Amino acid sequence: MYINVIGAGLAGCEAAMQIASRGIEVHLYEMKPAKKSPAHKSDMFGELVCSNSLKAMRLESAAGLLKEEMRRLNSFLMKCADKCQVPAGGALAVDRNLFSAYVTDGIKNNPNIKIYSDEVTEIPSDAITVIATGPLTSDALAETIKQRFGDSLSFFDAAAPIVTSESIDRDFSFCASRYDRGGEDDYINCPMDKEEYLRFYNALVNAERAPLHDFDVNNPKVYEGCMPVEVMAQRGENTLRFGPMKPVGLVNPKTGHRPWAVLQLRKENSSGSMYNLVGFQTNLKFPEQKRVFSLIPALHKADFVRYGVMHRNTFLNSPKVLNADFSTKENKKLFFAGQITGVEGYMESAASGIIAGINACRVLEDKQTLIFPRQTMLGALSDYISDSSVKKFQPMGANFGVLPELENRPRDKRERGAAYSERAINTMERFISDNNIEV
């Protein structure tokens, strides 16, 4: 007996390893390298197509709590991330190529996983199946899913450019983490005064954008979490200064003052030879990206090794389609995992793969599937994507707002986060023990 897993992205790899670790054979289908989506470049598994940051590590943060819960469940990807971490202040960022290499090696060297380099266009009926094809599901399979379940939704996603370290003008930049969190060289900060910012802003909002090809150009749904910087800027002159270019928590040591606006650059790889423009996802034409972003003083000589791109993302209307165990309402032997379910973010996607993998095994063994407690971040996200009362479903990432309220809610934000996390971890530990979950 075996279980199918379709897609070798973050969710698919987590699901496959959870299943394989329980001694069950996995048939893992991945269309790369023969075929790639517009956003994928690498032949390796677990490719990070957007940022190389896996968000905050602090346990009192929602993102940090999610990662800790994943560790308690023997997350394969957390082990890979720990091996190739690069400095990023309070965030967990990785060398993306090393990360994918570790993921690929782990999957390929597992004797319980058989890899098929094929594009799946129909939903298999031969065995229990986990579909983890992500927000960039191939057109043929996406059409099959749409015909079967209906209400398929789409939105736009965008990736940020990457520049070489040596091309950043250090005379116009300084190294520091916001509020001095993390190492002082985790971020390169590119400050701007008011005049420089307004020159950049006006160029940005008037710059020429790339054609969207097969996208719905007349009514694009841009998801807030990955909004192109030029779209965000159109909301107002100061929007970026309260968003990705906010100067709070930073003082330019060369002037002794807080800048008017700041672009932060984060290490893209462990050697520090490349940096990405934090929060600068974009769909500007490549020459326009070079022209506009070079108006930032520290980037006036920047060498762009990758320009930003924009691509279509597809996800289910999960409250109508999925249960909280990530199985479909119509067939308990068919599971979905990853961003196609409406969980938003790298680790959120991977975490859903853990749950789908565990529950696929339990179905094979004729056991009751597990619904994680809402007091945990995993349980809260599972509850959100399956909540039939949600009428206008949109992707959701880890945040404390999805958790049940605390009985004695601290006023201090950090204390409140710590309290949520303590309750969640204690609940998760009891849940793992009570249900004899193999970790």
Side-chain angles (χ1 to χ4, degrees):
M1 293 192 294
Y2 60 89
I3 294 174
N4 294 317
V5 176
I6 305 174
L10 303 184
C13 288
E14 281 283 21
M17 290 298 275
Q18 287 287 332
I19 297 166
S21 69
R22 288 163 170 79
I24 298 171
E25 184 176 309
V26 179
H27 289 191
L28 177 61
Y29 293 85
E30 170 55 54
M31 68 180 187
K32 294 195 301 182
K35 182 177 181 179
K36 295 185 177 75
S37 76
H40 287 94
K41 308 299 179 187
S42 170
D43 290 344
M44 294 187 289
F45 301 158
E47 182 179 356
L48 304 179
V49 300
C50 196
S51 168
N52 70 325
S53 174
L54 307 183
K55 299 182 181 177
M57 291 189 292
R58 294 179 295 107
L59 187 55
E60 62 269 21
S61 70
L65 169 60
L66 176 67
K67 285 190 277 291
E68 181 60 25
E69 291 182 2
M70 292 172 65
R71 292 184 194 278
R72 303 295 174 108
L73 292 166
N74 195 29
S75 166
F76 167 58
L77 293 186
M78 290 306 304
K79 294 175 184 176
C80 294
D82 289 339
K83 293 179 182 178
C84 54
Q85 183 177 352
V86 298
L92 174 58
V94 298
D95 181 313
R96 73 173 71 218
N97 289 327
L98 281 177
F99 176 78
S100 292
Y102 284 130
V103 173
T104 304
D105 288 346
I107 293 291
K108 288 187 173 181
N109 290 322
N110 191 299
N112 288 331
I113 300 177
K114 293 185 177 181
I115 300 169
Y116 297 86
S117 298
D118 297 318
E119 178 187 0
V120 175
T121 60
E122 300 290 334
I123 298 174
S125 58
D126 62 327
I128 297 166
T129 297
V130 179
I131 298 178
T133 46
L136 299 170
T137 297
S138 68
D139 291 341
L141 183 57
E143 183 59 31
T144 297
I145 294 171
K146 184 176 181 180
Q147 289 178 3
R148 181 155 173 179
F149 297 104
D151 292 319
S152 181
L153 306 174
S154 64
F155 63 100
F156 291 88
D157 198 2
I162 297 173
V163 299
T164 62
S165 174
E166 62 183 10
S167 70
I168 302 165
D169 194 330
R170 304 307 173 102
D171 289 337
F172 294 96
S173 65
F174 63 95
C175 294
S177 293
R178 203 179 301 278
Y179 300 110
D180 294 323
R181 292 174 181 164
E184 65 177 16
D185 62 345
D186 287 358
Y187 291 90
I188 296 177
N189 298 280
C190 307
M192 306 173 77
D193 61 26
K194 185 176 182 178
E195 181 180 349
E196 292 164 342
Y197 172 78
L198 290 176
R199 186 184 307 121
F200 161 77
Y201 170 79
N202 287 319
L204 178 63
V205 295
N206 291 298
E208 189 174 0
R209 303 178 190 180
L212 296 177
H213 303 295
D214 59 332
F215 300 142
D216 178 5
V217 295
N218 295 316
N219 186 30
K221 279 188 178 181
V222 183
Y223 178 55
E224 295 283 338
C226 284
M227 178 170 292
V229 65
E230 62 272 12
V231 174
M232 189 184 303
Q234 286 186 317
R235 294 179 170 182
E237 184 180 290
N238 289 311
T239 303
L240 298 182
R241 294 182 59 245
F242 287 90
M245 300 189 76
K246 62 179 180 290
V248 296
L250 293 167
V251 174
N252 188 345
K254 297 173 182 177
T255 64
H257 300 292
R258 188 175 77 178
W260 184 257
V262 173
L263 167 65
Q264 288 196 306
L265 309 178
R266 181 179 55 233
K267 285 183 181 179
E268 177 65 22
N269 56 4
S270 54
S271 66
S273 63
M274 298 183 293
Y275 279 77
N276 63 56
L277 282 60
V278 178
F280 264 47
Q281 299 90 349
T282 182
N283 188 48
L284 297 182
K285 287 187 172 182
F286 290 176
E288 289 288 80
Q289 292 184 41
K290 172 71 173 175
R291 178 182 69 86
V292 174
F293 297 149
S294 294
L295 292 174
I296 299 171
L299 300 183
H300 69 103
K301 298 186 295 183
D303 177 19
F304 290 81
V305 295
R306 188 191 77 183
Y307 287 105
V309 294
M310 192 172 184
H311 47 267
R312 174 180 58 82
N313 284 279
T314 302
F315 59 94
L316 293 168
N317 188 352
S318 292
K320 289 187 176 181
V321 176
L322 298 182
N323 299 306
D325 60 4
F326 286 89
S327 68
T328 61
K329 296 180 187 296
E330 69 161 34
N331 182 359
K332 289 288 288 183
K333 293 185 178 182
L334 176 61
F335 294 81
F336 282 87
Q339 280 192 237
I340 196 170
T341 68
V343 293
E344 196 281 317
Y346 287 146
M347 290 295 93
E348 289 85 345
S349 297
S352 71
I354 293 175
I355 298 176
I358 290 173
N359 281 323
C361 293
R362 294 182 72 88
V363 171
L364 184 68
E365 297 165 350
D366 291 323
K367 295 179 181 178
Q368 185 78 21
T369 57
L370 299 177
I371 306 297
F372 282 70
R374 284 194 61 229
Q375 290 80 5
T376 65
M377 188 59 68
L378 279 167
L381 289 173
S382 303
D383 180 74
Y384 172 79
I385 64 98
S386 60
D387 184 355
S388 59
S389 69
V390 177
K391 302 303 180 185
K392 294 184 178 180
F393 184 65
Q394 285 290 313
M396 179 68 70
N399 68 89
F400 288 131
V402 296
L403 296 175
E405 277 282 359
L406 295 163
E407 290 185 11
N408 297 303
R409 188 173 183 267
R411 288 190 175 184
D412 180 79
K413 184 177 180 181
R414 185 178 289 269
E415 291 181 4
R416 190 162 61 247
Y420 274 124
S421 294
E422 181 181 9
R423 182 183 68 177
I425 294 302
N426 290 337
T427 302
M428 178 64 78
E429 284 296 307
R430 289 193 299 271
F431 184 74
I432 291 172
S433 177
D434 292 345
N435 291 281
N436 298 312
I437 299 176
E438 299 176 31
V439 292

